[in-house]
Amino acid sequence: MQAGGAPYGLVRNAGIRIRNGRIAWVGAAAGREEQPTEERLDLGGRLVTPGLIDCHTHLVYAGNRANEWSRRLAGATYEEIAREGGGIASTVRATREAVDDDLLDTARDRLHALMAEGLTTVEIKSGYGLDLETELRMLRVARKLGRKENVDVIATFLGAHALPPEHGDNREGYLRLLVEDMLPAVAAEGLADAVDAYCEGVAFTTDEVGEIFERARALGLPVRLHAEQFSDSGGAAMAASLGALSCDHLEYLSPEGIDAMASAGTVAVLAPGAYYYLGETRKPPVEALRAAGVPMAVSTDHNPGTSPMLSLLAAMNMACVLFGLTPEEALRGATVNAARALGLNDRGSIVRGKRADLAVWDVQSPDELSYALGSNPCYRVYKNGVPRES
Ligand code: NIG
Ligand code: FE
């Protein structure tokens, strides 16, 4: 997938030269001078794409919420369940009780499911600890996964995911803890690559998030936001004004929010899994985002409550069927635009100088990647130019 005239930037009969984990050359194989010292690998005419990137997940947590899934199917809403102390709070209780090894093992199993589909970079958020100790534990588990598994893990601090139960209605108390203790501790230990927040009626207001983000920026951390999922709170415009890397969900995004994101170069991260599981009907304004030139990414938003899916290919399919993306937009959303949402410019496209993170597929055309829901045509993965086991 290179910049170029053909759909997907597709190059037929292509060759890719890899040196020191980077792409050293890409083009039509016929025009390529072979060097005697090179090892040559024939991929049998298969499709090669950038390794997939899931730029929004909550992979580290304990327990599951299948009970809420049944309740929602019987008519209860996500917000009702949250207000009764279920939802995020119930995963917080389970996560606080879990030992680190269990958090690591369960997150690793989930990660392996994503990796089987050609994933080479994943973002993982905290946010089910909501106290200093458990938030740090979650981020350390995410970092450890990145060291142990052959995949890059980008860790995001999501302390502002919900008001923790022990704070009752004391919003100000938790805000102070977040801004004065948690953010500086996370930054001091280098545990997060970015800071996220949940800006919504059931979570934090735009002003509260603004204060958290100002502090994050002062500590040198970029910001991203769960915004406009169930209502238009103006969060996306606020986040964009602070240079947010991405705003995510966006079903209720306003025209002003779109303009602000376009001016700031903020990526719109779509989470069709959450839309699907919650049976939402209001779609993100894809046509307007496209017209404004806002880059769109596609994520699983894997989490135990609203999107327990573990397939980025399925999220790409849903982004096409439910939100109207083209298959090409879906693939860009899970590669180059996902990289951008993470602030990474060294990956996501097959271009000279980029990291040689590649997925090889048993398909005839890239359209097939988001086509056959439930199939996994991944044939092989290269991480930094080296074939990955499994
Ligand atoms: O959809 N951050 C907000 N909602 C999460 C789901 C969290 C949960 O229900 O556990 C999301 O990204
Ligand atoms: Fe999320």
Side-chain angles (χ1 to χ4, degrees), residues 65-284:
R65 307 234 294 275
N67 57 336
E68 292 178 13
W69 150 248
S70 309
R71 280 196 60 200
R72 280 210 314 276
L73 288 172
T77 69
Y78 180 65
E79 281 152 312
E80 269 163 29
I81 292 171
R83 291 190 198 282
E84 289 165 13
I88 292 171
S90 80
T91 302
V92 168
R93 285 190 291 276
T95 304
R96 287 178 178 177
E97 281 167 18
V99 297
D100 289 6
D101 281 350
D102 287 345
L103 290 176
L104 187 76
D105 287 349
T106 50
R108 185 199 290 118
D109 289 347
R110 296 174 193 125
L111 180 57
H112 283 171
L114 292 172
M115 287 168 72
E117 290 185 344
L119 189 99
T120 49
T121 299
V122 65
E123 184 258 16
I124 302 179
K125 300 176 198 297
S126 67
Y128 291 119
L130 307 187
D131 59 31
L132 179 59
E133 186 204 328
T134 319
E135 285 293 308
L136 294 178
R137 286 205 297 129
M138 288 186 74
L139 291 168
R140 288 190 197 116
V141 166
R143 287 279 191 240
K144 195 164 180 181
L145 271 177
R147 287 193 299 272
K148 289 193 151 207
E149 301 296 311
N150 196 356
V151 64
D152 289 327
V153 172
I154 304 299
T156 303
F157 174 58
L158 178 58
H161 197 192
L163 191 65
E166 66 275 16
H167 284 261
D169 284 332
N170 183 10
R171 309 184 65 80
E172 190 51 30
Y174 187 57
L175 255 187
R176 298 275 63 78
L177 185 71
L178 266 172
V179 169
E180 283 156 28
D181 297 342
M182 293 166 94
L183 273 172
V186 166
E189 229 187 287
L191 282 176
D193 304 297
V195 171
D196 195 344
Y198 188 20
C199 190
E200 196 57 68
V202 289
F204 294 90
T205 66
T206 309
D207 285 350
E208 289 166 344
V209 174
E211 187 183 345
I212 295 162
F213 279 8
E214 299 274 6
R215 183 73 170 129
R217 300 297 293 131
L219 290 164
L221 288 165
V223 297
R224 11 197 340 215
L225 187 64
H226 286 70
E228 270 78 286
Q229 184 183 12
F230 302 125
S231 59
D232 175 19
S233 61
M238 178 278 296
S241 76
L242 294 173
L245 290 173
S246 76
C247 293
D248 305 35
H249 291 284
L250 303 174
E251 279 77 352
Y252 286 79
L253 182 63
S254 66
E256 296 72 36
I258 295 173
D259 287 349
M261 289 177 66
S263 312
T266 299
V267 177
V269 175
L270 306 178
Y275 170 94
Y276 164 83
Y277 273 102
L278 293 173
E280 297 289 320
T281 51
R282 167 104 168 211
K283 299 174 196 274

